[in-house]
Amino acid sequence: MDHPRRSRWAVLRHLAAPALAVAVVATLPLSRPEQAQAAPEFQPGMSPASVSHGLPGGPTVKGQFLSYNDFHGAIDPPAGSGAVVNGVPAGGVEYLATYLKKLRAEAAKEGRKTLTVGAGDLIGATPLVSAAFHDEPTIELMNEVGLQISSVGNHEFDEGVDELIRLQRGGCHPTDGCQDGDGFRGAKFTYLAANTIDKKTGLPILPPIEIRYVDGVPIGFVGLTLEGTAGIVNPAGIKNVRFANEVETANKWGNILKLFGVKAQVLLVHQGGQQNVSDTVPVPGVSDCNNFSGPLVDIVKGLNPEFGVVVSGHTHRFYSCTLPNTKSTSVVTSAGTVGQLITDIDYSIDRRTGKFATITAKNVVVENGVPDGNGGWLKDAAGVFLKNPATVDAKAKKVADKYRTAVAPIANKVVGAITGDIVRTAGPNGESPLGDVIADAQLAYTQAQIAFMNPGGIRADFDAEASAGGEATGQVTYGEAFTVQPFNNLVVTQTFTGAQIKNVLEQQFVGFGGQTTQRILQVSAGLTYSWTSTAPAGAKVTGLALNGTPIDPAANYQVTTNDFLANGGDGFTNLTLGTGRTTAPGFDVDALIAHLGAGAPIAPGPANRITKLG
């Protein structure tokens, strides 16, 4: 006869299998957490994460979680202003692999077993070396570096639900096949998608939970993306799914885990927060939690106390916090973005109760530079940080080099020139120099009257001195242009009345037309207007004009956007109301490349087309 406890664990293992797990709980109601008072926007006094739950002394199990998030296919070390984290050159997959191995080895010496986990956006918005192969290189490299479990993020849905499932399960791309010639076996790690629900079946599209054992003690993982995912990805690829509330979903599955005796739980959630500067901390450290704020505060506040660890993402910020949940405290972490940091979480679990006893967390910089011996880092003649060959992982480099070599002829082709750096950082008016350039590029591509660009679709700056392919200063390669606009969105032109254009601009602000997040569209040359933050919703925009002539509410205008916006992305439902929709040849990156190569080098946009009055 089987031992009763072993039988229970056997049942739990089967529950973790996606088909059985969702069958057990799909019909259970979501339990709403008790409503607590809203947390203040800032949480002063928080410190880097270290929690002791004060459980009775007794035998414990020791372990380690290594985590990262928002990798975004950053196979190559980041360049330009993004090359450093608080002054330290960092990133690149062959360096990420080295540091993961180093941290695992250190944990093993302390008798700790390591589990490596992620919090989504491993793929999507990726550079050409990954995107050209539908992000198969990133999945292959995540397999190589030893990732075991990850939540999905919003960018996992960039090419739609079916493509995400292919990346998990394997198989050649339905249109482009297996471009590298050696097949595609899919992710060895498990994507968790507890709150991504198929509208027809009512079940998660991928496993909601995963259970792992450390010296015989179970740890439960729940993975989910932000509830607002539908508003920030192309609607065409997610029309058959919905995204459920983060807290309700996490607690639902956490309760199931608890029912089967799993009381040490980890939430992998693609939603986050940020540290904020203060007079005493002008530059927060990578493991600090200075004046922390953001959506994650209220999510954690509503979680069951079994969720001792929350690994988060989405905001591309680094932090290591302790935040209150419903009855206790959770350690809450994020490792920034693009593989430049790894969160090292050490924990112990009380064998008697199965609960977390102690948890500590810190972020470790994935250094890739060569020290200069004086506390700094060596650079080449062009001012680019030298890379350290001594800390390269050979196996990861071999995989990465296969794709680098394959894509190099395309990536290194010079397509145009710029007069200097062109940045995506917006001013107080919400407008950026690079946003202007991209909107102008789309306007020139279609010969419309107005063009709008969503700021979230601009993924990198143009660095005039960057020279990945050996090109001269100011020259721009296809790979660099693709890194700025990596989504392969279509370029769409529609007819709108002046009144409809006014409504589109009003919908940039919370409270109008269902908008929940302020997003300032980047505008093409000739279009000008002012906005007032204190004005009521629907009346913030004034002085709307085209080439100095006031926009006529009754007149028709040709307006170009990408298809993400035209389909209502980022909450711009008013952009779905145009008529006479036409689609230009190629993609949005083709419009940018045509603009960059049209004549004289392109200068940064003036960023003065929009005026903020107050």
Side-chain angles (χ1 to χ4, degrees):
M1 179 178 179
D2 289 340
H3 191 282
R5 185 172 180 178
R6 290 181 179 176
S7 297
R8 182 175 64 180
W9 295 149
V11 171
L12 184 54
R13 285 184 185 274
H14 286 292
L15 179 65
L20 293 179
V22 295
V24 170
V25 299
T27 59
L28 295 180
L30 292 170
S31 59
R32 291 186 175 272
E34 295 182 2
Q35 296 297 315
Q37 292 182 348
E41 182 179 1
F42 296 108
Q43 300 286 328
M46 295 182 181
S47 61
S50 180
V51 170
S52 176
H53 290 287
L55 297 175
T60 60
V61 171
K62 297 192 300 181
Q64 176 194 55
F65 303 126
L66 296 179
S67 65
Y68 53 92
N69 50 277
D70 296 273
F71 183 71
H72 288 293
I75 294 171
D76 296 328
S81 60
V84 298
V85 176
N86 284 12
V88 179
V93 72
E94 53 263 71
Y95 300 96
L96 176 66
T98 294
Y99 271 81
L100 287 170
K101 289 180 178 179
K102 176 177 179 288
L103 293 169
R104 290 176 190 136
E106 292 173 355
K109 290 180 180 179
E110 298 176 356
R112 297 181 183 273
K113 179 180 178 181
T114 301
L115 293 170
T116 304
V117 302
D121 276 12
L122 306 175
I123 58 173
T126 53
L128 188 63
V129 66
S130 183
F133 304 95
H134 298 283
D135 283 331
E136 292 173 16
T138 296
I139 298 296
E140 188 174 342
L141 282 159
M142 295 302 95
N143 293 342
E144 175 60 40
V145 304
L147 183 65
Q148 293 167 283
I149 310 166
S150 180
S151 70
V152 296
N154 55 286
H155 281 289
E156 264 76 19
F157 297 94
D158 280 353
E159 293 194 38
V161 170
D162 292 344
E163 175 65 359
L164 170 59
I165 292 174
R166 182 187 76 87
L167 291 172
Q168 173 72 86
R169 298 176 180 173
C172 296
H173 189 271
T175 302
D176 294 332
C178 287
Q179 295 168 277
D180 63 356
D182 60 3
F184 177 64
R185 296 182 180 181
K188 293 180 182 178
F189 61 91
T190 303
Y191 264 128
L192 302 182
N195 68 331
T196 306
I197 308 301
D198 186 294
K199 291 179 180 177
K200 183 176 181 180
T201 66
L203 305 178
I205 62 166
L206 287 169
I209 59 175
E210 178 90 352
I211 300 98
R212 295 294 177 109
Y213 292 81
V214 176
D215 291 339
V217 177
I219 301 174
F221 296 85
V222 179
L224 41 99
T225 186
L226 69 155
E227 183 180 7
T229 292
I232 53 177
V233 301
N234 198 319
I238 57 168
K239 59 185 178 182
N240 295 322
V241 299
R242 63 179 178 85
F243 298 92
N245 178 266
E246 301 99 334
V247 175
E248 294 170 1
T249 303
N251 287 342
K252 169 182 174 177
W253 290 99
N255 288 337
I256 295 299
L257 290 168
K258 184 179 177 182
L259 180 66
F260 281 86
V262 183
K263 298 178 182 178
Q265 299 177 14
V266 178
L267 180 63
L268 309 176
V269 57
H270 192 71
Q271 179 59 292
Q274 65 181 36
Q275 300 187 66
N276 295 275
V277 300
S278 62
D279 292 339
T280 56
V281 186
V283 181
V286 297
S287 296
D288 289 348
C289 188
N290 191 64
N291 287 341
F292 189 78
S293 66
L296 193 58
V297 173
D298 284 338
I299 290 174
V300 176
K301 188 194 304 180
L303 293 178
N304 292 340
E306 288 77 18
F307 285 108
V309 177
V310 177
V311 177
S312 67
H314 188 55
T315 55
H316 292 195
R317 305 300 177 92
F318 45 69
Y319 45 83
S320 176
C321 298
T322 56
L323 298 178
N325 56 45
T326 52
K327 296 180 180 179
S328 185
T329 302
S330 299
V331 170
V332 180
T333 69
S334 174
T337 184
V338 297
Q340 293 181 307
L341 295 167
I342 299 167
T343 306
D344 182 356
I345 305 169
D346 288 341
Y347 65 87
S348 64
I349 299 175
D350 185 283
R351 280 191 176 276
R352 182 180 62 83
T353 64
K355 297 179 179 179
F356 284 115
T358 61
I359 307 166
T360 62
K362 63 181 180 181
N363 281 323
V364 178
V365 180
V366 178
E367 298 176 5
N368 64 26
V370 180
D372 65 5
N374 297 309
W377 305 90
L378 294 179
K379 298 181 180 181
D380 64 16
V384 177
F385 289 103
L386 296 179
K387 301 300 181 287
N388 191 345
T391 53
V392 167
D393 181 81
K395 290 185 177 180
K397 185 176 186 301
K398 181 178 179 180
V399 177
D401 282 349
K402 177 180 73 170
Y403 292 105
R404 289 166 177 154
T405 300
V407 81
I410 301 171
N412 295 335
K413 180 181 178 182
V414 174
V415 296
I418 54 179
T419 63
D421 295 349
I422 308 179
V423 301
R424 55 181 171 150
T425 303
N429 62 348
E431 187 178 356
S432 74
L434 186 50
D436 285 356
V437 168
I438 292 174
D440 290 348
Q442 294 187 1
L443 186 73
Y445 198 62
T446 63
Q447 297 296 301
Q449 294 167 281
I450 298 167
F452 295 129
M453 175 63 193
N454 55 305
I458 308 171
R459 305 302 297 188
D461 301 333
F462 276 128
D463 183 350
E465 294 181 347
S467 183
E471 70 276 7
T473 297
Q475 290 186 324
V476 178
T477 65
Y478 183 90
E480 290 169 335
F482 191 91
T483 299
V484 170
Q485 281 194 277
F487 293 109
N488 274 343
N489 288 318
L490 301 174
V491 181
V492 172
T493 300
Q494 303 178 83
T495 300
F496 291 87
T497 66
Q500 288 176 313
I501 292 171
K502 169 74 157 46
N503 284 341
V504 167
L505 295 175
E506 294 287 1
Q507 204 169 26
Q508 297 174 117
F509 306 103
V510 175
F512 184 80
Q515 183 61 270
T516 59
T517 303
Q518 179 171 303
R519 296 183 176 93
I520 303 299
L521 295 172
Q522 307 301 286
V523 301
S524 56
L527 187 72
T528 55
Y529 70 92
S530 301
W531 63 279
T532 304
S533 61
T534 56
K540 294 182 183 292
V541 174
T542 56
L544 181 58
L546 181 62
N547 298 319
T549 301
I551 291 284
D552 182 348
N556 289 330
Y557 299 86
Q558 294 290 297
V559 178
T560 293
T561 67
N562 57 45
D563 65 327
F564 168 75
L565 284 174
N567 292 336
D570 276 352
F572 285 98
T573 55
N574 282 313
L575 282 171
T576 68
L577 304 178
T579 60
R581 177 167 171 163
T582 61
T583 301
F587 300 104
D588 52 359
V589 70
D590 297 312
L592 178 59
I593 288 168
H595 189 57
L596 292 168
I602 299 297
N608 63 359
R609 300 164 184 173
I610 303 170
T611 301
K612 183 180 179 183
L613 297 177

